[in-house]
């Protein structure tokens, strides 16, 4: 029941970005909804969320690179429910390209989608959370933000920045009762590589033509054999998000433990290993 009807909601209200079918956001929507939450699912195109059919899910078109659209959706949710309890910043995209040949447009797009969007959405929601002295921001990072890999360094850089932003928000929002949970996935089976493949095109004059098979290998790494099922991933994340004390950090998925361990090793050794696997 809507807060505007005079009866306060007892269900958690959750806003999730990047909810296209076949992705992590899609699975998170279904899982939160199954747990009894009111879920606002968003994606750039409404038709990409047609598969979401749970009665607790409400769908809105949202381009997370446009501040006016973000504020419109946030204000719509608050008008209907009175608050937002959880926001999940999941929208993002790979940025496969040799860094030395990346255009400034590619650079900007990588950070717009994987870094700036999360901060825009969070900043639009935080005033309401401050008013209620409670709330949870869940940012979906990546193990690529822990260790840089060739051919996807723009994505690595953008996710590294998101990790730092998440830690900063956690400290700065704590006085207002707002928690921040950074989720760092390893390999999870989704459509993210398929979506990138449609736009991957090396320049006709590229100096990296001989490395194209390695570039494609890197693009498909997130869905490699052994990757975690997206439904299982969502279940584990929602378990923690809805717990009495959401953790500030969690990592899961293929290679997540390996990359966590790599952080303790000499950087020269780790980057050498990445080079050997994806270049040499």
């Amino acid at each position: 029941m809507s807060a505007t009807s005079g009866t306060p909601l007892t269900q958690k209200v959750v806003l999730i970005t990047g909810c296209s079918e076949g992705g992590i956001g899609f699975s998170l929507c279904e899982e939160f909804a199954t747990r009894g939450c009111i879920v606002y699912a968003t994606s750039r195109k409404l038709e990409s969320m047609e598969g979401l059919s749970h009665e607790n899910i409400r769908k809105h078109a949202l381009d997370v690179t446009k501040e006016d659209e973000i504020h419109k959706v946030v204000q719509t949710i608050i008008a209907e429910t009175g608050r937002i309890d959880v926001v999940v910043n999941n929208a993002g995209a790979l940025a496969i390209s040799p860094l030395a040949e990346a255009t400034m447009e590619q650079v900007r797009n990588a950070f717009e989608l994987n870094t700036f969007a999360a901060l825009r959405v969070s900043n639009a929601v935080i005033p309401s959370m401050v008013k209620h002295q409670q709330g949870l921001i869940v940012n979906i990072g990546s193990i690529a933000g822990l260790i840089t890999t060739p051919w996807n360094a723009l994505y690595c850089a953008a996710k590294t920045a998101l990790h730092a932003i998440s830690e900063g928000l956690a400290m700065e929002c704590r006085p207002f009762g707002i928690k921040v949970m950074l989720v760092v996935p390893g390999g999870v089976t989704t459509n993210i590589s398929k979506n990138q493949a449609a736009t991957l095109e090396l320049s006709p004059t590229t100096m990296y033509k001989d490395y194209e098979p390695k570039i494609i290998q890197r693009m498909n790494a997130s869905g490699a054999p052994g990757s975690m099922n997206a439904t299982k991933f969502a279940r584990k994340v929602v378990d923690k998000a809805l717990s009495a004390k959401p953790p500030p950090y969690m990592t899961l998925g293929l290679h997540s433990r390996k990359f966590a361990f790599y952080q303790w090793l000499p950087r020269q050794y780790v980057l050498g290993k990445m080079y050997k696997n994806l270049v040499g």
Side-chain angles (χ1 to χ4, degrees), residues 95-110 151-155 201-203 206-208:
I96 302 294
S97 172
L99 196 57
E101 296 182 346
T103 65
M104 285 301 103
E105 182 180 6
Q106 287 174 307
V107 175
R108 282 189 289 269
N109 285 343
W151 320 125
N152 199 28
L154 287 177
Y155 180 79
E201 185 176 356
L202 295 179
S203 166
T206 180
M207 58 187 172
Y208 291 105

Side-chain angles (χ1 to χ4, degrees), residues 26 34-35 39 62 83 176 186 255 260 262 279:
F26 187 95
T34 299
R35 306 291 184 95
V39 178
L62 174 61
R83 66 183 194 277
F176 306 104
H255 299 317
Y262 279 167
V279 178

Side-chain angles (χ1 to χ4, degrees), residues 205-223:
T205 59
T206 180
M207 58 187 172
Y208 291 105
K209 186 63 179 177
D210 292 344
Y211 296 92
E212 189 168 13
K214 291 290 187 180
I215 295 172
I216 293 173
Q217 178 188 337
R218 174 62 191 90
M219 180 181 66
N220 293 324
S222 62

Side-chain angles (χ1 to χ4, degrees), residues 30-106:
E30 293 188 321
E31 189 63 32
F32 273 111
T34 299
R35 306 291 184 95
C37 300
I38 297 297
V39 178
Y40 284 81
T42 66
S43 181
R44 188 174 296 186
K45 297 179 180 179
L46 277 175
E47 56 266 31
S48 70
M49 301 183 288
E50 286 180 354
L52 292 171
S53 57
H54 195 286
E55 62 181 3
N56 287 352
I57 297 176
R58 305 169 186 180
K59 292 173 276 190
H60 286 268
L62 174 61
D63 183 341
V64 292
T65 68
K66 296 180 178 178
E67 198 161 345
D68 58 336
E69 290 191 18
I70 292 170
H71 283 280
K72 181 179 178 180
V73 168
V74 167
Q75 291 308 311
T76 295
I77 297 171
I78 292 172
E80 291 179 357
T81 67
R83 66 183 194 277
I84 297 173
D85 297 297
V86 181
V87 58
V88 182
N89 289 306
N90 169 72
L94 294 177
I96 302 294
S97 172
L99 196 57
E101 296 182 346
T103 65
M104 285 301 103
E105 182 180 6
Q106 287 174 307

Side-chain angles (χ1 to χ4, degrees), residues 138-155:
V138 181
N139 287 337
I140 307 297
S142 172
I143 59 171
L146 306 177
I147 305 294
T148 305
T149 62
W151 320 125
N152 199 28
L154 287 177
Y155 180 79

Side-chain angles (χ1 to χ4, degrees), residues 13 36 52 64 74-75 99 104 113 122 135-136 139 159-160 167 182 196 201 216-217 229 237 249:
V13 179
L52 292 171
V64 292
V74 167
Q75 291 308 311
L99 196 57
M104 285 301 103
L113 289 171
S122 297
L136 175 66
N139 287 337
K159 287 298 187 180
T160 299
E167 292 170 354
L182 173 61
Q196 173 69 47
E201 185 176 356
I216 293 173
Q217 178 188 337
N229 177 273
V237 171
Y249 184 96

